[in-house]
Amino acid sequence: MEDEDDWLKREVLSHAGNRWAFGVIHSLKEGGKLRHAEIRRRLGGVTQRMLTRTLRQLERDGLIHRQDHQEVPPHVEYELTRLGEEFLLKIIPMWLWIFEHAEDFRQARKEHSTAASE
């Protein structure tokens, strides 16, 4: 694998672990075409700056599509692409597995911490 491919893989995988990126993708899957403010309401807690940055990264990687209707006032909508839907379908099983094993992870960390302090 070339260095450029390795970097690309890491950047795309970072979306899976990024709370806001995963939230945007999930919101668009549930809500269809959404405007910036609608996505922000659904995410709760995301700043406007962080949401804008996340949307740009997801658009750059082809996971979402941005449609500017060229109207005044501005009317911009975002929707999930085919690639974004495939991404979500691949990531959901991993998220479910993590949730199912959350207590196992907590226990392992507790045991590790106890062993390290002895």
Side-chain angles (χ1 to χ4, degrees), residues 34-100:
L34 297 173
R35 296 178 74 171
H36 190 283
E38 293 170 298
I39 297 169
R40 189 169 178 201
R41 273 193 295 278
R42 287 172 181 254
L43 293 182
V46 68
T47 64
Q48 183 168 336
R49 181 175 182 259
M50 179 55 74
L51 179 55
T52 299
R53 181 176 174 221
T54 301
L55 290 167
R56 286 179 182 157
Q57 290 171 343
L58 294 172
E59 181 185 11
R60 174 200 67 194
D61 288 338
L63 298 173
I64 66 171
H65 174 72
R66 178 182 186 272
Q67 182 176 3
D68 185 345
H69 293 277
Q70 300 295 318
E71 297 177 359
V72 177
H75 182 161
V76 177
E77 293 177 314
Y78 297 89
E79 66 182 320
L80 204 54
T81 63
R82 178 194 53 77
L83 191 61
E85 287 193 30
E86 288 180 28
F87 180 81
L88 186 61
L89 289 173
K90 299 294 184 187
I91 295 305
I92 286 176
M94 181 190 298
W95 276 87
L96 292 174
W97 180 82
I98 292 168
F99 291 138
E100 289 170 7

